[in-house]
Amino acid sequence: MVQTEQHRLRGYCALAAAASIWGGMYVVSKYALDFVPPFTLLWLRYVTGLSVLYPLAARQRSAPLTGEDHRAFLLIGFVGYVVSVGLQFVGTRLSSAHNGAIITSASPAFILLFAWLMLGERLTARKLFSVLLATAGVVIVVGWDSATVGGVWSLVGNLALVGAAITWALLSVLARRYSSRLSPLVITAGAVFWAAIMTTPIMCVEWRFLPVSGLDNPLLWCAVLYLGVVATAGAFYLWNKGLSLVEAGTGSVFFFLQPVVGALLGWLVLGEQLTPSFFTGGGVILLAVLVASLPSSSRDRSLSSK
């Protein structure tokens, strides 16, 4: 019992660290995207991350990989690291930062649904309450943009962001499913490998429309190293590791830490102003994480039970 609680605590710490790293990623990406277009930066991120992940995964792997393992890497890489992140780029570009933060933070709700459908995890009242509470916190932090601009392209952007939220949820559940036979490090390395390959043709097409500049800027390469080593190799591993230690539905709530950390670092690094709604909403999100991480009790009733 004690060992189970220790595993759960390690999972919570890993998930919180991953979400916090991704929160900082937005500040770094904002700088790097002034010089490098999105999918080129994404390719650099994956290649850099793979240079760290591959030797570590090769040392850890004991049994030869099977065809089924490679299909799992391909599926996770395509769904999570190409489609989801790509849709996030497209959606944020066409819509707004406010909408991007709100819509993509809906991933935990979809994780609960996929975990129930694909993994057979119980859908309890506490899990649903924690997600609803965290969603309310994100809305408070980000706020509502009352301006009605953008038209059709804004709608397309919002739909892309919904797709990003759904596919990231599917990635999280797939990582949980395959963690029973593969280590999180091997899963992350294999998925990033295929994501780098699949991103390459998209990057080549992108070069025809968007230029690359600032390659002699050392700060740009520092940003690439952060995105590749910390936000890809480190954070993807920590996220998959956390989901291997706790239920996907419970762990998904930690995703809500991402916009809070991003806003805080934006204030510290970029000088963006924080309003009282940030602190109020941040407190609500932390409360939701606390509710989700409480030990299960016999009164935690499954909503699907009769």
Side-chain angles (χ1 to χ4, degrees), residues 7-233:
H7 285 173
R8 187 179 292 116
L9 179 60
R10 287 169 55 197
Y12 294 153
C13 291
L15 293 169
S20 299
I21 290 171
W22 287 328
M25 179 185 68
Y26 287 101
V27 176
V28 178
S29 297
K30 187 172 183 179
Y31 174 80
L33 286 169
D34 288 337
F35 305 96
V36 181
F39 281 96
T40 302
L41 184 62
L42 189 61
W43 185 87
L44 289 171
R45 174 185 175 184
Y46 289 157
V47 170
T48 306
L50 190 62
S51 66
V52 176
L53 285 167
Y54 181 79
L56 295 176
R59 291 176 57 185
Q60 186 182 88
R61 182 169 55 86
S62 56
L65 295 174
T66 65
E68 187 178 356
D69 294 334
H70 286 291
R71 286 191 292 272
F73 299 152
L74 180 62
L75 181 61
I76 293 174
F78 176 72
V79 171
Y81 303 156
V82 177
V83 176
S84 184
V85 178
L87 286 174
Q88 183 180 344
F89 276 131
V90 172
T92 303
R93 185 181 182 89
L94 295 177
S95 183
S96 66
H98 281 58
N99 287 343
I102 291 175
I103 295 172
T104 56
S105 292
S107 282
F110 294 112
I111 291 177
L112 281 177
L113 179 61
F114 284 129
W116 174 54
L117 292 173
M118 299 171 60
L119 303 178
E121 292 186 3
R122 289 195 313 151
L123 197 61
T124 65
R126 180 164 63 90
K127 287 180 183 179
L128 283 177
F129 175 70
S130 66
V131 170
L132 291 174
L133 193 62
T135 302
V138 170
V139 173
I140 294 172
V141 170
V142 178
W144 290 102
D145 188 356
S146 59
T148 56
V149 297
V152 174
W153 286 114
S154 180
L155 175 61
V156 172
N158 289 337
L159 292 176
L161 291 167
V162 172
I166 294 173
T167 48
W168 187 261
L170 183 56
L171 156 75
S172 299
V173 174
L174 288 171
R176 169 74 175 177
R177 167 187 280 181
Y178 293 118
S179 65
S180 61
R181 71 171 191 271
L182 295 168
S183 75
L185 184 60
V186 173
I187 292 174
T188 306
V192 170
F193 169 78
W194 283 109
I197 292 177
M198 289 181 284
T199 305
T200 301
I202 305 175
M203 175 186 66
C204 293
V205 173
E206 183 179 61
W207 288 345
R208 299 180 59 185
F209 305 98
L210 298 172
V212 178
S213 63
L215 297 181
D216 58 344
N217 183 354
L219 288 179
L220 172 61
W221 292 107
C222 289
V224 170
L225 286 175
Y226 176 87
L227 293 173
V229 177
V230 181
T232 300

Side-chain angles (χ1 to χ4, degrees), residues 225-279:
L225 286 175
Y226 176 87
L227 293 173
V229 177
V230 181
T232 300
F236 283 172
Y237 166 74
L238 287 170
W239 185 258
N240 291 338
K241 178 66 174 178
L243 290 175
S244 71
L245 296 173
V246 302
E247 288 188 341
T250 301
S252 66
V253 179
F254 287 84
F255 193 79
F256 286 104
L257 291 174
Q258 176 179 309
V260 176
V261 174
L264 182 60
L265 289 178
W267 170 63
L268 290 172
V269 178
L270 302 177
E272 296 177 352
Q273 187 171 357
L274 296 180
T275 63
S277 64
F278 166 78
F279 298 99

